[in-house]
Amino acid sequence: MGNRNRATTAAAGSVLTVLLLASGCGSGDDGPRTVTVQAAGAERAVGHDAAPGAGAGYGEEAGEEYDAGSEADGDAGTDAGADRTPAGTLAVREIPEVGSVATDAAGITLYRFDKDTAQPPRSNCEGACADLWPAVPADGAQAPAGANAGLLGSVERPDGTRQLTLGGWPVYRYAKDTLPGEAKGEGVGGTWHALAADGKKAVDAGKGGAGKGGAEKDSAPLSAVDDAKLGKILVDGEGRTLYRFGKDSAWPMKFGCLDACLDTWKPAAPVEAEKAVGIPAKLVGSVERPDGTRQLTIDCWPVYLFTGDTAPGQTNGHGLQGLWFAVNDAGKKIPAKG
């Protein structure tokens, strides 16, 4: 009987914990919300009919159990030999919409992680994260022709191996990049970025970093703008439409966009709630994804960018498969017309 009482008490405690975690979402509080709940029983990525220029569907069905350390389609396996392939002599390659990207000797894109540090160098990608983002070994790596060899270095990982660094930043490959010139990892989680030859983010280097006089462009990282068809919609700092996914849920937190889905729908990076324009700060928050990255949430719903939107103001993702929707200034999804 005592064991049953203890079990009942433990179960009640678990329920209380869930309720406490849930209180930040949908509770009408006045402050921004930060959710740290991992995907519970997350569904596999769900595809959609391909939009023009968006590529093929995802080829995954919902309802399968998600394993953060592996990929069902074999693209992101944990082959230790492949993960430890030396980089050789690095090169620089132009990749459309990304810029001048540092690659290994085989032409595979190299990445950096915003949660790492460069001064001093430190990697914060371990476990399942390192299965999807294999650390590049430092052994034998050489700088690209004409580049500053002094930018190359190494850092010791928790397992005792040494990881290549570029400009102080630990260097990774993305398991889903299987061909030279691919950069499917660019922007994943808002925290993974292709590397430039100097260790900076290739996308920033391509933009020149600053405008005339060296001043950065001053724009809100999150704002509500008028769309001729949809009314008020939320966009990021570059004017790109934000979307939410019908297979996600706000509470209990569950991600429906995983694996191959993330090649087409990029999780939006978190923003400071007080810098948002045209939307109540209390609706702006963030959530930790299964891979450890953080994603912007609006009214507790994770929001994404659509790669099929190639210019600011486009809403090509709205209504796709009846699951993807632009978000209005009240944090609600905008119904698809027709």
Side-chain angles (χ1 to χ4, degrees):
M1 187 68 176
N3 290 337
R4 181 179 299 178
N5 288 338
R6 283 194 294 271
T8 301
T9 301
S14 298
V15 172
L16 178 59
T17 300
V18 170
L19 291 175
L20 289 173
L21 287 170
S23 64
C25 287
S27 62
D29 59 345
D30 293 329
R33 280 77 59 89
T34 298
V35 183
T36 57
V37 182
Q38 292 283 347
E43 300 173 357
R44 301 291 289 181
V46 178
H48 62 70
D49 296 330
Y58 309 136
E60 298 284 355
E61 296 297 333
E64 299 177 24
E65 184 177 356
Y66 175 64
D67 179 359
S70 64
E71 297 293 330
D73 58 10
D75 286 346
T78 58
D79 184 336
D83 289 353
R84 294 185 174 90
T85 303
T89 301
L90 306 190
V92 177
R93 185 187 189 115
E94 289 293 327
I95 298 181
E97 299 184 7
V98 180
S100 296
V101 172
T103 74
D104 65 12
I108 300 299
T109 298
L110 303 178
Y111 296 90
R112 54 179 268 186
F113 184 32
D114 284 350
K115 286 191 174 183
D116 290 349
T117 59
Q119 300 296 332
R122 180 179 177 181
S123 169
N124 286 304
C125 180
E126 302 176 41
C129 173
D131 292 337
L132 192 58
W133 301 90
V136 176
D139 296 343
Q142 297 183 35
N148 181 1
L151 293 175
L152 292 184
S154 67
V155 62
E156 184 174 353
R157 294 182 59 78
D159 63 2
T161 60
R162 298 206 69 83
Q163 181 176 3
L164 177 66
T165 61
L166 182 56
W169 289 95
V171 179
Y172 305 83
R173 298 182 179 96
Y174 184 41
K176 292 186 179 180
D177 285 347
T178 58
L179 297 173
E182 291 184 331
K184 295 177 180 177
E186 170 56 42
V188 167
T191 55
W192 288 94
H193 300 281
L195 274 162
D198 59 0
K200 296 179 180 179
K201 300 174 185 178
V203 288
D204 289 346
K207 296 174 184 175
K212 294 180 180 180
E216 294 285 347
K217 180 181 179 181
D218 185 16
S219 61
L222 172 66
S223 60
V225 300
D226 289 309
D227 180 83
K229 296 181 179 179
L230 303 180
K232 289 282 187 181
I233 62 172
L234 297 184
V235 299
D236 72 354
E238 297 180 29
R240 298 174 297 181
T241 301
L242 296 172
Y243 300 89
R244 78 184 211 189
F245 185 35
K247 290 292 184 178
D248 288 347
S249 66
W251 191 262
M253 183 62 70
K254 185 165 63 175
F255 295 98
C257 186
L258 300 162
D259 303 332
C261 175
L262 297 175
D263 295 337
T264 303
W265 300 91
K266 304 294 186 181
V271 303
E272 296 179 44
E274 62 271 16
K275 293 184 178 180
V277 175
I279 180 175
K282 66 181 182 180
L283 297 180
V284 181
S286 68
V287 64
E288 184 175 348
R289 293 187 59 83
D291 64 359
T293 61
R294 297 206 71 83
Q295 180 174 1
L296 174 65
T297 61
I298 301 297
D299 198 23
C300 294
W301 283 85
V303 290
Y304 303 79
L305 299 167
F306 179 46
T307 58
D309 288 342
T310 58
Q314 292 184 344
T315 57
N316 296 323
H318 183 63
L320 281 182
Q321 206 187 12
L323 293 171
W324 293 93
F325 303 94
V327 182
N328 65 21
D329 56 343
K332 306 301 181 184
K333 73 176 184 181
I334 301 172
K337 296 181 179 180

